[in-house]
Amino acid sequence: MKFQSYPVAAYLVYKCKKTRIKTMIKKISLFVVLLAVTLFATAGAVGNTLVLDGSTTVGPLAKTFAAYFTKKYGVRVTVSESGSGNGAKSLINGSCTIATMSRAMKAAEIAAARQKGVNPVASIVALDGLAMVVHPANPVRSLTKAQISSIYRGAITNWREVGGPNTRIVVIQRESNSGTEESFKELVIGKGIPVTGSAETQSSNGSVKSRVSTTLSAIGFLGHGFVDGSVKVIAVNGIFPTVAAVKNGTYPVSRPLYFYTNGQPSGVVKQFVDLPKSAEGKRMITELGFINR
Amino acid sequence: MAEESLGESNRTNAFVLSARKRTMQKVIKTAGEGMLFAAASFVAVIVLFIFYFVARDAVPFFQIRGFSEFFTSSNWYPADDPAQFGSLAIIYGSLMVTLGSALIAVPMGVAAAICLSDILPFSIRQYAKPIIEMLAAIPSVAFGFFALVILAPLLQNNGGPMLMWAWWILVSPFMILAVIVISDLLTTKITDQKRRQQLHIFFLILFGLLSVFLLFKVGTILYGIQILTGTNALNVSIILSFMALPTIVSVSEDALQAVGREIREGSYALGATRAETIIKTVLPAASSGILAAVILGIMRALGETMVVWMASGNSSQIPEPWFNYLQAIRTLTATIAGDMGEADQVTGSARFHVLFAMGLLLLVISFISNLVSERIVVRQRKILSGQ
């Protein structure tokens, strides 16, 4: 039995080898073709790609701009959202072309950039009001800036002290990477004054919104573009963050959003940075809930 | 005789290798051993390297800021001016959620392992164990999302009733057991049969009523609790215990299986019941394996990052009072994950190095607990082997 079947097995092995070699040749040629295609594709894209990194607040705007820009000019734009601080770091390390930031660069960051031969140049994209938000069932309609400051410093811990129900306030802030956090601190609390230790920290506008919308006694702050019906915006010093109020500067908690580039922008980068000045760019800014300069 | 010697020489010829083959084999042997040794030492070297590089970046922090602030203050303001790096609350938070998850996961996991290995029939176990192990395959961000979006609002809206039900379900079996055992113990010394039975029933009723009263009293207190924020230590402890469970169940079930059939049968042969066999024979014999399972599970809870970053609330505070699991806390892992982005050398070096100091602390904690468990295992083995 064993010896009889031997020639058959030998034939099978032979055939297998033959087909294997054939498929191997096929595979290799396919691989070579793919490699060539990828190489050409990347070669074509090099110098034609914009990399944006930074603020989660500017994120939606940058993404909309990117989609529009790719469609119009055929330039690939990648957008990452890792916080304003990370944006600055990426620009300094040269890993992004444009840093999106919801705060101005700090002196230390500019010094570090200079040291690495990077010259950060700011251009303002849009204005953004920081909306103070609470749970929709919260009866409080308005707080003064001083009251908000006291809440975040931990001097006021109960809603009763500001005209609300008798419950403790759940204070929600953003993480230390956040430009929104930095500008909030600067605009409301003042520099160098620490936020209370019991403040909870969330890592994006979205998660702050989800926490505030599900927590009865929470207070948080959001970029104006992120506000929707699930949370209630309260007035600061009696003024709501409307377009007009932010534009004319009467709303006290507003800040500009920036694109930072290495040196004066030119070429494609300039085209991108100048988008907010075009009519189309202004339309997109308004649509996303940000405010034109 | 002649034939035999012929066969002998044939055999030796067949098994004696030529000189070339022998050297080849020697080379292969050395190469193989060398590769195995290289692989083993590579793993050891990785551990040493991690220790070295983490320590190298951690030491500058202590040089700049000293030890006392890091370990005694709970003011964590790394981004402020002047910066403060008090990490006491953060260390405490890490230990708190680890303890909380262990309190939930260890009894549940070991009980489940005992059930799987000694109580359920083999056919059910074959399905049940893979299903439990599947829990380990769920990515931690999915757990975090669940904790943040579902469990946190649930705790806020129905926290009191949930706590009450948890109290009743978890504690009532132990209460019943305790009542029976205590009244039994109190009456064993009485020799008069009738009097003993009377007293036994009296004690049963007395302690039974007492425990029912306790159950309901604490239950109503728990029912009245209004949980202010759902992203708190309790939420994280529950989710982390889910994540540690598959490890604990799987490894301790393996340990219980390894005890072997002969030991169990020996115990039965001596007249022990199944409960006695499990408690007095199987568990002690498997204790070192179960301990390893527990340590592994706890390490998983201590090192988990994504869930705590999403669902612990991240407030750098020691809860008031200190055992309050219903307040937001912050852990070492979440702080490293959350602050690493901004903390580059460019923005102030203490802020960068403090995160490595935290990493070193985590490493040291897990190192120490590994050592301790190793020692316990060795001692247990000595006791079991009767030395």
Side-chain angles (χ1 to χ4, degrees):
Chain A
M1 216 26 218
K2 199 176 165 192
F3 289 102
Q4 273 170 358
S5 65
Y6 179 71
V8 180
Y11 172 71
L12 278 178
V13 167
Y14 166 73
K15 205 180 165 191
C16 256
K17 266 192 184 157
K18 218 172 149 189
T19 47
R20 205 188 285 161
I21 289 166
K22 261 190 188 168
T23 47
M24 233 163 89
I25 291 171
K26 261 189 206 163
K27 271 185 190 164
I28 288 173
S29 52
L30 192 71
F31 179 71
V32 168
V33 169
L34 273 179
L35 195 72
V37 168
T38 345
L39 276 180
F40 276 113
T42 40
V46 161
N48 232 353
T49 314
L50 290 179
V51 181
L52 273 70
D53 191 6
S55 167
T56 56
T57 309
V58 191
L61 197 58
K63 276 181 183 156
T64 318
F65 277 5
Y68 172 76
F69 204 67
T70 310
K71 217 161 100 189
K72 194 165 179 194
Y73 299 102
V75 178
R76 241 161 44 116
V77 185
T78 59
V79 179
S80 312
E81 300 172 24
S82 48
S84 296
N86 272 345
K89 207 165 83 182
S90 297
L91 190 72
I92 294 166
N93 294 338
S95 56
C96 73
T97 354
I98 300 172
T100 60
M101 294 181 72
S102 57
R103 60 167 168 85
M105 260 198 191
K106 293 178 207 161
E109 286 167 338
I110 290 172
R114 292 267 156 75
Q115 218 170 30
K116 289 212 172 181
V118 174
N119 177 29
V121 174
S123 62
I124 293 176
V125 188
L127 299 176
D128 184 27
L130 274 182
M132 299 305 304
V133 291
V134 295
H135 192 272
N138 195 323
V140 173
R141 289 193 70 248
S142 175
L143 291 173
T144 65
K145 208 165 121 178
Q147 281 173 327
I148 297 171
S149 171
S150 306
I151 289 172
Y152 273 85
R153 278 185 284 119
I156 295 178
T157 56
N158 197 310
W159 278 111
R160 196 180 42 189
E161 294 168 65
V162 289
N166 181 18
T167 52
R168 275 194 53 194
I169 303 175
V170 176
V171 180
I172 296 175
Q173 63 168 351
R174 289 285 305 280
E175 88 286 7
S176 61
N177 275 357
S178 159
T180 308
E181 168 86 9
E182 299 261 350
S183 30
F184 174 80
K185 273 191 188 165
E186 203 175 312
L187 291 167
V188 178
I189 308 176
K191 267 193 171 168
I193 301 167
V195 173
T196 169
S198 65
E200 294 188 11
T201 309
Q202 291 294 330
S203 54
S204 69
N205 280 297
S207 59
V208 169
K209 190 171 71 184
S210 107
R211 283 297 294 145
V212 172
S213 67
T214 54
T215 309
L216 268 173
S217 48
I219 184 169
F221 48 85
L222 290 177
H224 187 252
F226 289 86
V227 173
D228 61 21
S230 65
V231 289
K232 180 176 140 187
V233 179
I234 54 174
V236 180
N237 292 346
I239 299 160
F240 282 98
T242 56
V243 175
V246 173
K247 216 167 189 172
N248 65 24
T250 45
Y251 184 68
V253 200
S254 66
R255 42 61 191 275
L257 306 174
Y258 301 92
F259 280 159
Y260 271 92
T261 51
N262 179 9
Q264 283 298 335
S266 61
V268 194
V269 181
K270 187 170 169 50
Q271 272 176 321
F272 192 89
V273 170
D274 284 346
L275 260 187
K277 288 176 190 156
S278 68
E280 193 61 17
K282 284 188 170 148
R283 186 185 60 77
M284 287 186 275
I285 289 171
T286 319
E287 242 170 41
L288 288 166
F290 295 100
I291 291 129
N292 278 304
R293 231 182 129 202
Chain B
M1 193 66 189
E3 257 182 40
E4 231 184 280
S5 72
L6 188 71
E8 188 86 359
S9 73
N10 265 354
R11 216 179 297 149
T12 41
N13 275 345
F15 284 94
V16 168
L17 300 170
S18 66
R20 196 169 142 264
K21 267 193 178 165
R22 234 182 301 163
T23 40
M24 274 298 286
Q25 267 198 348
K26 223 178 199 172
V27 169
I28 289 170
K29 181 180 161 243
T30 350
E33 280 178 355
M35 268 161 69
L36 288 180
F37 178 75
S41 48
F42 184 64
V43 177
V45 165
I46 286 176
V47 175
L48 288 180
F49 262 74
I50 289 174
F51 248 106
Y52 170 69
F53 280 106
V54 171
R56 197 188 63 170
D57 272 320
V59 167
F61 170 76
F62 295 115
Q63 283 172 345
I64 299 167
R65 309 284 304 193
F67 284 95
S68 67
E69 186 198 20
F70 185 75
F71 287 108
T72 56
S73 151
S74 42
N75 293 329
W76 174 253
Y77 298 110
D80 283 15
D81 198 21
Q84 296 182 62
F85 298 100
S87 308
L88 181 65
I90 296 172
I91 298 166
Y92 184 76
S94 256
L95 297 178
M96 194 171 170
V97 293
T98 308
L99 180 73
S101 62
L103 282 179
I104 302 172
V106 170
M108 213 145 100
V110 174
I114 291 170
C115 180
L116 278 178
S117 89
D118 278 68
I119 292 164
L120 285 181
F122 184 72
S123 55
I124 296 178
R125 192 177 82 217
Q126 268 184 315
Y127 292 104
K129 205 181 172 194
I131 289 172
I132 290 175
E133 278 166 358
M134 222 145 78
L135 210 57
I138 298 173
S140 56
V141 68
F143 275 113
F145 188 74
F146 173 80
L148 182 64
V149 174
I150 295 166
L151 190 58
L154 205 66
L155 281 174
Q156 279 158 198
N157 299 332
N158 306 310
M162 277 169 74
L163 285 176
M164 183 189 72
W165 281 107
W167 165 257
W168 280 354
I169 291 169
L170 291 178
V171 175
S172 46
F174 290 104
M175 283 275 193
I176 293 169
L177 213 68
V179 167
I180 294 171
V181 170
I182 288 173
S183 41
D184 223 37
L185 283 178
L186 283 176
T187 50
T188 41
K189 291 245 171 95
I190 299 162
T191 43
D192 181 14
Q193 183 81 10
K194 203 172 167 195
R195 201 176 139 65
R196 194 177 80 187
Q197 274 177 358
Q198 277 173 349
L199 257 179
H200 195 187
I201 288 168
F202 169 73
F203 277 132
L204 271 183
I205 290 169
L206 179 73
F207 288 124
L209 285 176
L210 212 75
S211 65
V212 166
F213 174 74
L214 198 68
L215 272 176
F216 272 89
K217 189 72 201 159
V218 177
T220 43
I221 291 170
L222 288 176
Y223 190 88
I225 287 176
Q226 176 69 45
I227 297 179
L228 201 64
T229 167
T231 50
N232 54 28
L234 179 69
N235 182 336
V236 174
S237 297
I238 291 171
I239 298 292
L240 286 183
S241 72
F242 288 173
M243 299 180 77
L245 262 180
T247 316
I248 295 179
V249 173
S250 180
V251 177
S252 44
E253 205 264 351
D254 285 342
L256 289 169
Q257 281 295 306
V259 167
R261 207 180 163 80
E262 311 83 47
I263 291 179
R264 290 188 174 85
E265 280 172 354
S267 171
Y268 289 134
L270 289 172
T273 62
R274 180 147 84 174
E276 284 167 339
T277 305
I278 291 171
I279 293 167
K280 292 187 174 164
T281 312
V282 180
L283 276 181
S287 61
S288 59
I290 290 173
L291 192 80
V294 167
I295 295 280
L296 274 177
I298 288 176
M299 287 298 110
R300 175 107 168 87
L302 180 70
E304 175 51 44
T305 307
M306 202 62 214
V307 167
V308 284
W309 174 234
M310 287 169 87
S312 70
N314 298 312
S315 349
S316 165
Q317 60 171 351
I318 292 177
E320 279 293 325
W322 58 270
F323 52 83
N324 189 352
Y325 270 85
L326 303 177
Q327 284 189 6
I329 47 93
R330 191 182 181 111
T331 68
L332 289 168
T333 48
T335 306
I336 295 173
D339 283 19
M340 197 42 120
E342 179 128 321
D344 205 342
Q345 280 98 332
V346 297
T347 45
S349 70
R351 194 173 163 198
F352 174 74
H353 291 302
V354 70
L355 300 179
F356 280 90
M358 289 180 165
L360 186 68
L361 192 64
L362 277 172
L363 263 178
V364 167
I365 292 173
S366 58
F367 189 66
I368 288 173
S369 57
N370 263 331
L371 274 184
V372 167
S373 72
E374 198 82 6
R375 273 198 71 88
I376 295 174
V377 167
V378 169
R379 214 171 59 190
Q380 190 69 24
R381 208 169 285 155
K382 266 187 189 164
I383 292 168
L384 282 177
S385 62
Q387 280 171 8

